[in-house]
């Protein structure tokens, strides 16, 4: 099956596909799944509501035929999805998939790193917002301490994985951890990426006042380290990268609030319930699960995906205001992934 590479209305190609394999998570981070909303009685998707692995693989092949070459598995917490190595192996077997990663909070990584590596996964992004145990326990909403996650990171690296660490920085919460996190991962030559607090979903109480910008983070770091800006690797690379002088270690910044990167966004998102979204801040998506289960053939699915992407004009972060952030209903992070 061949198809012409897709471009949207702003001439952005489709290159990346982020696949949420579950809406469940064992954390209750305030910026994603606050426990006040996602309580013990919260109704997550039943197993029948999730895309099956066969459905995910079928859709992945179609997206690859349209220009996707990079896949990322997300959640919720993707390691809560049973038999995940089977899906990894299936995706790795698809011709045209050049790169695949997985984003995790790392809690379950100790028992799953080796099966995932054997299945063909090589890259991990581990979310970690603080090294101070009490602070991190409050931030993840479940009292998990960072020690086990740090051990799992070391274990994954020893197994052969390339690991990056993601830190969401919130004003009044964990700014004090910026320099300690940088020092810890610099010493281990692990890339740490600082993520500006975003208004993703509808439940995290976002406001501009809670955003610690790249400029502020960089100024803090420059009080301790000598940093040098690095060139982008490729069109659509999200992180702005810096290297420590005299070291191979790097840091990155995800600046979707202070320095938006909508103009080079090449990402499509497949939610855990099978909807196609063309923006992290989307309100509506195309229900591919319904099409699959109603018997749509590949040509109809391709045509539907192509139609959505070719009409795409999303540039939410370019246009964000305090008012739009508060008034727009957006799909929840646990369904669409980060």
């Amino acid at each position: 099956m061949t198809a012409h590479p897709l471009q949207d209305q702003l001439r952005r190609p489709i290159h990346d596909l982020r696949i949420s394999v579950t809406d469940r998570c064992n954390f209750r981070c305030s910026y994603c799944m606050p426990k006040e909303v996602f309580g013990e009685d919260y109704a997550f998707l039943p197993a029948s509501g999730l895309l099956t692995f066969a459905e995910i693989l079928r859709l992945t092949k179609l997206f690859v035929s349209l220009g996707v070459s990079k896949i990322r598995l997300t959640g919720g917490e993707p390691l809560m999805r049973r038999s995940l190595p089977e899906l990894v192996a299936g995706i790795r077997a698809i011709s045209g998939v050049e790169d695949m990663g997985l984003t995790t909070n790392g809690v379950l990584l100790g028992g799953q790193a080796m099966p995932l590596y054997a299945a063909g996964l090589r890259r991990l992004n581990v979310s970690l917002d603080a090294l101070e145990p009490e602070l991190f326990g409050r931030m993840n909403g479940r009292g998990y301490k960072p020690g086990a996650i740090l051990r799992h990171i070391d274990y994954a690296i020893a197994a052969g994985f390339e690991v990056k660490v993601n830190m969401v920085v919130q004003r009044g919460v964990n700014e004090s951890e910026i320099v300690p996190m940088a020092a810890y991962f610099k010493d281990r030559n692990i890339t740490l990426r600082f993520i500006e607090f975003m208004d993703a979903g509808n439940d995290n109480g976002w406001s501009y006042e809670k955003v610690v910008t790249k400029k502020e983070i960089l100024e803090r770091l420059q009080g301790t380290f000598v940093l040098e800006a690095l060139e982008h690797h490729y069109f659509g690379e999200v992180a702005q990268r810096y290297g420590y002088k005299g070291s191979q270690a790097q840091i990155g910044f995800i600046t979707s609030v202070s320095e938006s990167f909508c103009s080079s966004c090449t990402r499509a998102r497949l939610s855990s319930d099978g909807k196609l979204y063309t923006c992290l801040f989307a309100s509506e998506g195309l229900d591919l699960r319904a099409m699959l289960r109603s018997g749509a053939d590949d040509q109809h699915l391709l045509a539907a995906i192509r139609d959505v992407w070719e009409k795409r004009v999303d540039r939410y972060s370019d246009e964000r205001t305090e008012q739009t952030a508060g008034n727009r209903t957006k799909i929840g992070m646990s369904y669409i992934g980060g």
Side-chain angles (χ1 to χ4, degrees), residues 154-211:
D154 291 341
Y155 175 66
I157 290 172
F161 282 102
E162 174 192 343
V163 176
K164 295 178 181 177
V165 174
N166 293 340
M167 176 187 181
V168 176
V169 184
Q170 300 176 70
R171 191 176 307 283
V173 179
N174 62 336
E175 305 111 303
S176 62
E177 292 289 288
I178 290 171
V179 172
M181 287 277 288
Y184 181 93
F185 291 107
K186 172 181 179 290
D187 288 346
R188 288 156 180 78
N189 196 25
I190 297 171
T191 296
L192 171 64
R193 304 195 302 181
F194 298 97
I195 301 176
E196 293 180 348
F197 179 38
M198 295 178 286
D199 55 315
N202 306 295
D203 305 311
N204 65 8
W206 183 91
S207 71
Y208 276 110
E209 285 72 24
K210 297 180 182 179
V211 178

Side-chain angles (χ1 to χ4, degrees), residues 43-169:
F44 289 98
L45 289 170
S48 61
L50 299 172
L51 288 177
T52 67
F53 287 174
E55 289 170 333
I56 291 173
L57 292 173
R58 182 180 173 193
L59 289 174
T60 300
K61 290 177 184 177
L62 297 179
F63 276 100
V64 169
S65 77
L66 293 170
V68 165
S69 61
K70 185 175 180 180
I71 306 292
R72 175 162 294 279
L73 300 179
T74 69
E77 169 49 51
L79 299 188
M80 294 185 73
R81 180 77 185 257
R82 292 182 179 179
S83 304
L84 192 62
E86 295 178 16
L87 178 62
V88 169
I91 292 173
R92 291 302 307 177
I94 296 173
S95 177
V97 174
E98 299 174 0
D99 182 67
M100 179 168 57
L102 180 144
T103 299
T104 175
N105 60 36
V107 170
L108 301 175
L109 189 57
Q112 298 199 40
M114 291 308 296
L116 289 168
Y117 193 89
L121 188 68
R122 294 294 181 268
R123 295 198 307 107
L124 296 169
N125 285 7
V126 179
S127 300
L128 183 68
D129 296 326
L131 293 174
E132 203 287 312
E134 295 305 317
L135 172 58
F136 182 62
R138 291 195 303 272
M139 292 189 72
N140 64 55
R142 287 287 177 82
Y144 286 104
K145 300 299 189 284
I149 296 169
L150 295 172
R151 290 193 296 273
H152 292 166
I153 289 172
D154 291 341
Y155 175 66
I157 290 172
F161 282 102
E162 174 192 343
V163 176
K164 295 178 181 177
V165 174
N166 293 340
M167 176 187 181
V168 176
V169 184

